[in-house]
Amino acid sequence: MVKRPGAKYHKDAMSFPIKICSICGEEFELKPDKPGFANRCPECSTEDASAAPAQRKMDADERKSLKEANEERRRVMRDLLYRKDR
């Protein structure tokens, strides 16, 4: 492998796209592995991420009714997909 003098690969690298936050209107670079949404700056995304774990937990009755509803929904879809027309 022959090295060329002055060959700098980082010069030709593409920069990250500049986006405008939909919440605060500030410009930010959209980088890979950025938490949150692609149209929000990191500061606005972190506020939204901290609010997500505040979901309330379901009790046993709610889980059971949700499970039964899902089973019924699957059964109906299966019957619609695989029924034989007479």
Side-chain angles (χ1 to χ4, degrees):
M1 184 168 158
V2 177
K3 288 186 178 180
R4 290 180 278 165
K8 296 186 180 187
Y9 295 103
H10 61 83
K11 267 187 170 179
D12 298 331
M14 293 177 58
S15 63
F16 298 115
I18 303 293
K19 297 283 189 169
I20 297 176
C21 179
S22 63
I23 304 295
C24 64
E26 295 290 321
E27 290 185 349
F28 67 97
E29 287 184 336
L30 182 60
K31 296 181 179 180
D33 299 329
K34 180 189 88 59
F37 299 100
N39 63 347
R40 294 185 185 174
C41 65
E43 290 82 21
C44 292
S45 293
T46 55
E47 293 170 4
D48 195 35
S50 64
Q55 295 176 351
R56 68 178 192 89
K57 303 217 180 236
M58 293 192 300
D59 62 354
D61 291 332
E62 289 174 326
R63 284 193 301 272
K64 183 178 179 183
S65 65
L66 186 62
K67 179 183 174 188
E68 290 171 353
N70 285 335
E71 287 174 355
E72 183 66 19
R73 189 177 301 116
R74 277 189 234 110
R75 185 189 64 75
V76 169
M77 290 300 293
R78 185 180 60 238
D79 291 346
L80 285 172
L81 288 171
Y82 299 114
R83 72 176 179 194
K84 296 189 180 197
D85 293 331
R86 296 178 189 201

